[in-house]
Amino acid sequence: MATLLTLVLPDFVVDVERRWEGLAPTHPLIVGGAADGPGQVVAACRVARAAGVRPGISLREGALLVPHARFVPGILDRYAEAASQLDELVRRWCAEVDWVAIDRAVVAASAVKSGSLAAAADAMQRAIRDELGLGSAAGLADTEVAASVAAALVAPSGLLQVLPGYDERFLAPLDLCWLPPLSAAARERLAERGVTTIGALAAMAGHEAEAAIGAGWATAWRSARAEAPRALAGTALPRTLTRVLPLTHQVSSEDVQLAAEHLADQLSQGLAQIGAFAHALTVRVMGVDQRFRGRGFTLRESTRQRADLAPVARTLAARLWKFGDPPVRVSVVASGLTADGPQLSLFGVPSHDQSSSRRLEGLRTARNFRALARGSLARRPRAS
């Protein structure tokens, strides 16, 4: 059986924007700014790319190629929120995940919680599509390069498994454009030497590959030979946890604070479920103009207690209320996750007094966090 899974979301940015804008899958979408703006295309859907739109061309040129496309500026907060939700979803099936990029993850078979790697990959893809509205492709192989190429071959959605021991033979007949570490300039130099397939590159001697490719030749050459040059750096905890609440009616400042407190309660439960503690909390609100405003706060001690998180979330929400239009959406993000809780006392506690000491420490921690939130985030009077 394959030992590695590469999960790729090839149209992550476009899919996130399409979900937010409520566009049909066939409607052309270009990310980067207004159609008559001075900027460049950041990402484009497959319909627009088929018409000649490519990242890096001017937005005006993109508008000429696809005049009926929807142009959106691209909002980083949307991608951060989607990435957090994606990370949490993938970890339902995996104990450790190595996020190579915001839209690419590598999972070892040994990290799958139950069942086979192929079954976990299929379940992940279904959940990503049904719950997040995002497309994904998966490749299974013994090496990361073969798994990545397999995922690329079945993009934007699909699953391809390379038989065990066949990674090099799977790669050999493919064009060099499928080899991730190889630049376009390097491919041109190899083509001048008659090397156009991955197998032909793998058959070259090391010094020949170095002379033809130049910088980075070792990584490309070893990848062509289906070797595994990189050790996985999987993590057991997600980077962040995010909870979101839409506001469907005209709200007051108290409503927004209650919403933030409710989301902090959900985060507390989520942190307890995965055995994590948070070092920081961020509250984001979105107005009717779909612009995000956010404020973050670094906690003095890592915590997952509702009594610690809720007052900070309320205070941050109250501060955000003072700026901009009333929000239509609130989200709270716990970040800096760790498996280590608040620092314990250096001195032991007598056994007969442990329960009362724990209650006292809990009260002290909650009181400290509330005081810290009020004191550090409240507006201080200016010195005369």
Side-chain angles (χ1 to χ4, degrees):
M1 296 179 63
T3 58
L4 284 180
L5 159 68
T6 294
L7 182 69
V8 181
L9 285 80
D11 298 320
F12 175 78
V13 170
V14 171
D15 286 346
V16 170
E17 294 291 350
R18 190 181 297 281
R19 182 183 66 174
W20 273 87
E21 299 294 330
L23 295 178
T26 56
H27 195 288
L29 177 65
I30 297 175
V31 182
D36 57 351
Q40 296 180 335
V41 173
V42 174
C45 70
R46 293 179 179 268
V47 175
R49 294 204 299 270
V53 178
R54 293 289 183 273
I57 70 171
S58 69
L59 292 166
R60 292 188 177 94
E61 185 179 353
L64 292 175
L65 292 171
V66 192
H68 58 291
R70 171 75 68 86
F71 284 77
V72 296
I75 301 175
L76 294 179
D77 291 285
R78 293 180 177 180
Y79 312 139
E81 183 178 294
S84 177
Q85 295 170 339
L86 174 65
D87 189 12
E88 186 176 0
L89 184 150
V90 169
R91 292 177 190 275
R92 294 180 196 170
W93 291 272
C94 308
E96 290 189 354
V97 182
D98 181 5
W99 284 100
V100 183
I102 194 173
D103 57 357
R104 179 182 296 267
V106 181
V107 178
S110 58
V112 175
K113 294 180 179 179
S114 63
S116 67
L117 189 61
D122 182 63
M124 283 182 225
Q125 289 184 280
R126 291 176 184 272
I128 291 170
R129 180 194 62 211
D130 297 340
E131 299 180 28
L132 302 182
L134 307 177
S136 63
L140 289 83
D142 290 331
T143 58
E144 185 177 348
V145 61
S148 297
V149 172
L153 287 171
V154 295
S157 61
L159 188 153
L160 178 60
Q161 181 171 356
V162 181
L163 293 175
Y166 278 76
D167 284 17
E168 189 172 359
R169 278 176 279 185
F170 163 71
L171 294 171
L174 298 176
D175 188 271
L176 286 173
C177 66
W178 294 103
L179 195 62
L182 207 56
S183 66
R187 291 200 301 270
E188 291 180 3
R189 291 193 295 270
L190 287 168
E192 293 174 356
R193 297 170 179 251
V195 178
T196 58
T197 65
I198 297 177
L201 173 57
M204 296 178 72
H207 66 277
E208 294 176 337
E210 182 178 11
I213 298 173
W217 72 272
T219 301
W221 183 61
R222 289 171 182 162
S223 296
R225 296 162 64 89
E227 297 178 357
R230 189 181 76 91
L232 296 187
T235 58
L237 294 177
R239 295 165 293 188
T240 60
L241 280 186
T242 302
R243 295 295 181 267
V244 180
L245 183 65
L247 305 175
T248 57
H249 56 85
Q250 192 70 22
V251 295
S252 64
S253 175
E254 180 63 20
D255 293 330
V256 176
Q257 293 179 53
L258 287 173
E261 186 175 1
H262 171 69
L263 294 175
D265 183 32
Q266 292 185 349
L267 281 177
S268 175
Q269 297 175 29
L271 290 168
Q273 289 174 358
I274 64 174
F277 299 84
H279 279 285
L281 204 68
T282 300
V283 175
R284 295 194 187 104
V285 297
M286 187 187 76
V288 292
D289 57 358
Q290 294 198 351
R291 291 185 178 274
F292 285 82
R293 304 188 304 277
R295 282 188 177 270
F297 185 71
T298 301
L299 304 170
R300 186 168 63 179
E301 288 182 330
S302 58
T303 183
R304 63 185 178 207
Q305 300 300 320
R306 181 192 183 281
D308 301 334
L309 300 176
V312 176
R314 280 189 65 99
T315 306
L316 292 171
R319 291 295 304 274
L320 287 170
W321 174 263
K322 299 178 181 179
F323 305 96
D325 298 327
V328 297
R329 193 171 185 273
V330 180
S331 62
V332 180
V333 183
S335 57
L337 304 190
T338 176
D340 300 323
Q343 187 174 0
L344 300 177
S345 172
L346 294 176
F347 303 99
V349 180
S351 58
H352 67 276
D353 198 32
Q354 284 184 355
S355 59
S356 60
S357 176
R358 281 196 296 268
R359 289 196 298 271
L360 178 60
E361 285 301 317
L363 291 172
R364 285 175 178 169
T365 302
R367 188 182 303 116
N368 287 344
F369 273 105
R370 294 189 190 102
L372 190 61
R374 287 195 299 269
S376 298
L377 298 176
R379 189 183 298 275
R380 293 188 176 91
R382 294 183 179 178
S384 57

mmCIF file of all heavy atoms in Angstrom, residues 25 75 88 90 98 170 177 194 202 206 212 220 236 257 259 274 279 316 319 326 352:
data_model
loop_
_atom_site.group_PDB
_atom_site.id
_atom_site.type_symbol
_atom_site.label_atom_id
_atom_site.label_comp_id
_atom_site.label_asym_id
_atom_site.label_seq_id
_atom_site.Cartn_x
_atom_site.Cartn_y
_atom_site.Cartn_z
ATOM 1 N N PRO A 25 -20.518 27.533 -10.662
ATOM 2 C CA PRO A 25 -19.211 26.957 -11.017
ATOM 3 C C PRO A 25 -18.729 27.320 -12.416
ATOM 4 O O PRO A 25 -17.521 27.313 -12.673
ATOM 5 C CB PRO A 25 -19.453 25.445 -10.895
ATOM 6 C CG PRO A 25 -20.619 25.313 -9.978
ATOM 7 C CD PRO A 25 -21.475 26.506 -10.234
ATOM 8 N N ILE A 75 -9.340 38.901 -0.697
ATOM 9 C CA ILE A 75 -9.265 39.332 0.697
ATOM 10 C C ILE A 75 -8.566 38.245 1.501
ATOM 11 O O ILE A 75 -9.048 37.109 1.591
ATOM 12 C CB ILE A 75 -10.674 39.610 1.257
ATOM 13 C CG1 ILE A 75 -11.356 40.709 0.418
ATOM 14 C CG2 ILE A 75 -10.603 40.026 2.717
ATOM 15 C CD1 ILE A 75 -12.789 40.988 0.806
ATOM 16 N N GLU A 88 -8.555 21.989 10.259
ATOM 17 C CA GLU A 88 -9.306 21.276 11.292
ATOM 18 C C GLU A 88 -10.060 20.087 10.704
ATOM 19 O O GLU A 88 -10.140 19.018 11.322
ATOM 20 C CB GLU A 88 -10.281 22.238 11.973
ATOM 21 C CG GLU A 88 -11.000 21.638 13.161
ATOM 22 C CD GLU A 88 -11.894 22.636 13.874
ATOM 23 O OE1 GLU A 88 -11.958 23.807 13.438
ATOM 24 O OE2 GLU A 88 -12.543 22.241 14.865
ATOM 25 N N VAL A 90 -9.261 18.245 7.973
ATOM 26 C CA VAL A 90 -8.348 17.166 7.588
ATOM 27 C C VAL A 90 -7.917 16.354 8.807
ATOM 28 O O VAL A 90 -7.738 15.131 8.733
ATOM 29 C CB VAL A 90 -7.126 17.754 6.850
ATOM 30 C CG1 VAL A 90 -6.029 16.710 6.682
ATOM 31 C CG2 VAL A 90 -7.543 18.291 5.486
ATOM 32 N N ASP A 98 1.368 17.625 7.537
ATOM 33 C CA ASP A 98 2.458 18.513 7.131
ATOM 34 C C ASP A 98 1.918 19.441 6.044
ATOM 35 O O ASP A 98 1.745 19.035 4.899
ATOM 36 C CB ASP A 98 3.635 17.691 6.598
ATOM 37 C CG ASP A 98 4.814 18.566 6.186
ATOM 38 O OD1 ASP A 98 4.749 19.795 6.397
ATOM 39 O OD2 ASP A 98 5.801 18.029 5.648
ATOM 40 N N PHE A 170 6.185 5.087 -12.870
ATOM 41 C CA PHE A 170 5.035 5.975 -13.075
ATOM 42 C C PHE A 170 5.484 7.331 -13.606
ATOM 43 O O PHE A 170 4.862 7.911 -14.507
ATOM 44 C CB PHE A 170 4.286 6.131 -11.746
ATOM 45 C CG PHE A 170 3.343 7.294 -11.688
ATOM 46 C CD1 PHE A 170 2.157 7.299 -12.405
ATOM 47 C CD2 PHE A 170 3.638 8.408 -10.905
ATOM 48 C CE1 PHE A 170 1.288 8.382 -12.349
ATOM 49 C CE2 PHE A 170 2.784 9.487 -10.836
ATOM 50 C CZ PHE A 170 1.600 9.479 -11.563
ATOM 51 N N CYS A 177 7.337 18.945 -17.597
ATOM 52 C CA CYS A 177 6.502 19.998 -17.017
ATOM 53 C C CYS A 177 5.776 19.520 -15.762
ATOM 54 O O CYS A 177 5.311 20.339 -14.961
ATOM 55 C CB CYS A 177 5.499 20.517 -18.041
ATOM 56 S SG CYS A 177 4.249 19.316 -18.539
ATOM 57 N N GLY A 194 18.002 17.126 -25.678
ATOM 58 C CA GLY A 194 17.161 15.996 -26.045
ATOM 59 C C GLY A 194 16.486 15.319 -24.873
ATOM 60 O O GLY A 194 15.943 14.217 -25.020
ATOM 61 N N ALA A 202 16.081 11.221 -15.163
ATOM 62 C CA ALA A 202 16.535 10.270 -14.150
ATOM 63 C C ALA A 202 17.703 9.431 -14.650
ATOM 64 O O ALA A 202 18.564 9.012 -13.862
ATOM 65 C CB ALA A 202 15.380 9.365 -13.738
ATOM 66 N N GLY A 206 24.786 12.372 -12.588
ATOM 67 C CA GLY A 206 24.642 13.540 -11.733
ATOM 68 C C GLY A 206 25.336 14.769 -12.279
ATOM 69 O O GLY A 206 24.773 15.874 -12.267
ATOM 70 N N ALA A 212 23.323 20.776 -16.931
ATOM 71 C CA ALA A 212 22.160 21.194 -17.713
ATOM 72 C C ALA A 212 21.188 22.048 -16.911
ATOM 73 O O ALA A 212 20.621 23.010 -17.433
ATOM 74 C CB ALA A 212 21.436 19.961 -18.251
ATOM 75 N N ALA A 220 15.881 18.388 -8.266
ATOM 76 C CA ALA A 220 15.145 17.962 -9.459
ATOM 77 C C ALA A 220 15.575 16.568 -9.912
ATOM 78 O O ALA A 220 14.734 15.732 -10.271
ATOM 79 C CB ALA A 220 15.363 18.977 -10.580
ATOM 80 N N ALA A 236 0.905 17.708 15.200
ATOM 81 C CA ALA A 236 -0.260 17.044 15.773
ATOM 82 C C ALA A 236 -1.404 18.008 16.039
ATOM 83 O O ALA A 236 -2.551 17.588 16.160
ATOM 84 C CB ALA A 236 0.134 16.339 17.069
ATOM 85 N N GLN A 257 -20.934 41.539 21.193
ATOM 86 C CA GLN A 257 -20.148 41.008 22.302
ATOM 87 C C GLN A 257 -20.647 39.629 22.729
ATOM 88 O O GLN A 257 -19.850 38.728 23.027
ATOM 89 C CB GLN A 257 -20.208 41.975 23.481
ATOM 90 C CG GLN A 257 -19.515 43.308 23.213
ATOM 91 C CD GLN A 257 -19.623 44.253 24.390
ATOM 92 O OE1 GLN A 257 -19.278 43.898 25.513
ATOM 93 N NE2 GLN A 257 -20.115 45.460 24.144
ATOM 94 N N ALA A 259 -22.155 37.513 20.769
ATOM 95 C CA ALA A 259 -21.761 36.585 19.704
ATOM 96 C C ALA A 259 -20.312 36.157 19.882
ATOM 97 O O ALA A 259 -19.980 34.970 19.747
ATOM 98 C CB ALA A 259 -21.964 37.247 18.344
ATOM 99 N N ILE A 274 -9.368 18.518 21.307
ATOM 100 C CA ILE A 274 -8.095 18.141 20.685
ATOM 101 C C ILE A 274 -6.933 18.215 21.672
ATOM 102 O O ILE A 274 -5.782 17.992 21.292
ATOM 103 C CB ILE A 274 -7.795 19.026 19.459
ATOM 104 C CG1 ILE A 274 -7.617 20.493 19.869
ATOM 105 C CG2 ILE A 274 -8.884 18.888 18.413
ATOM 106 C CD1 ILE A 274 -7.185 21.394 18.720
ATOM 107 N N HIS A 279 -2.575 30.464 22.943
ATOM 108 C CA HIS A 279 -1.744 31.559 23.444
ATOM 109 C C HIS A 279 -2.261 32.924 23.009
ATOM 110 O O HIS A 279 -1.831 33.941 23.544
ATOM 111 C CB HIS A 279 -0.306 31.402 22.944
ATOM 112 C CG HIS A 279 0.507 30.437 23.741
ATOM 113 N ND1 HIS A 279 0.999 30.718 24.989
ATOM 114 C CD2 HIS A 279 0.902 29.170 23.472
ATOM 115 C CE1 HIS A 279 1.679 29.679 25.453
ATOM 116 N NE2 HIS A 279 1.625 28.723 24.554
ATOM 117 N N LEU A 316 -12.540 42.567 22.974
ATOM 118 C CA LEU A 316 -12.096 42.823 21.607
ATOM 119 C C LEU A 316 -13.272 43.201 20.709
ATOM 120 O O LEU A 316 -13.173 44.111 19.881
ATOM 121 C CB LEU A 316 -11.384 41.588 21.054
ATOM 122 C CG LEU A 316 -10.034 41.234 21.682
ATOM 123 C CD1 LEU A 316 -9.558 39.876 21.186
ATOM 124 C CD2 LEU A 316 -8.991 42.302 21.367
ATOM 125 N N ARG A 319 -14.331 46.762 21.315
ATOM 126 C CA ARG A 319 -13.437 47.730 20.679
ATOM 127 C C ARG A 319 -13.699 47.827 19.179
ATOM 128 O O ARG A 319 -13.661 48.907 18.598
ATOM 129 C CB ARG A 319 -11.980 47.331 20.921
ATOM 130 C CG ARG A 319 -11.516 47.471 22.359
ATOM 131 C CD ARG A 319 -11.524 48.920 22.819
ATOM 132 N NE ARG A 319 -10.726 49.779 21.982
ATOM 133 C CZ ARG A 319 -9.421 49.981 22.115
ATOM 134 N NH1 ARG A 319 -8.766 49.343 23.067
ATOM 135 N NH2 ARG A 319 -8.776 50.800 21.314
ATOM 136 N N PRO A 326 -21.998 48.613 11.512
ATOM 137 C CA PRO A 326 -22.352 47.423 12.300
ATOM 138 C C PRO A 326 -22.041 46.151 11.519
ATOM 139 O O PRO A 326 -22.327 46.059 10.325
ATOM 140 C CB PRO A 326 -23.859 47.598 12.528
ATOM 141 C CG PRO A 326 -24.080 49.072 12.446
ATOM 142 C CD PRO A 326 -23.106 49.566 11.416
ATOM 143 N N HIS A 352 -3.724 16.678 50.834
ATOM 144 C CA HIS A 352 -5.023 16.972 51.422
ATOM 145 C C HIS A 352 -5.580 18.302 50.938
ATOM 146 O O HIS A 352 -6.762 18.593 51.107
ATOM 147 C CB HIS A 352 -4.908 16.992 52.956
ATOM 148 C CG HIS A 352 -4.057 18.133 53.456
ATOM 149 N ND1 HIS A 352 -2.684 18.049 53.519
ATOM 150 C CD2 HIS A 352 -4.397 19.381 53.879
ATOM 151 C CE1 HIS A 352 -2.193 19.198 53.995
ATOM 152 N NE2 HIS A 352 -3.213 20.020 54.207
#
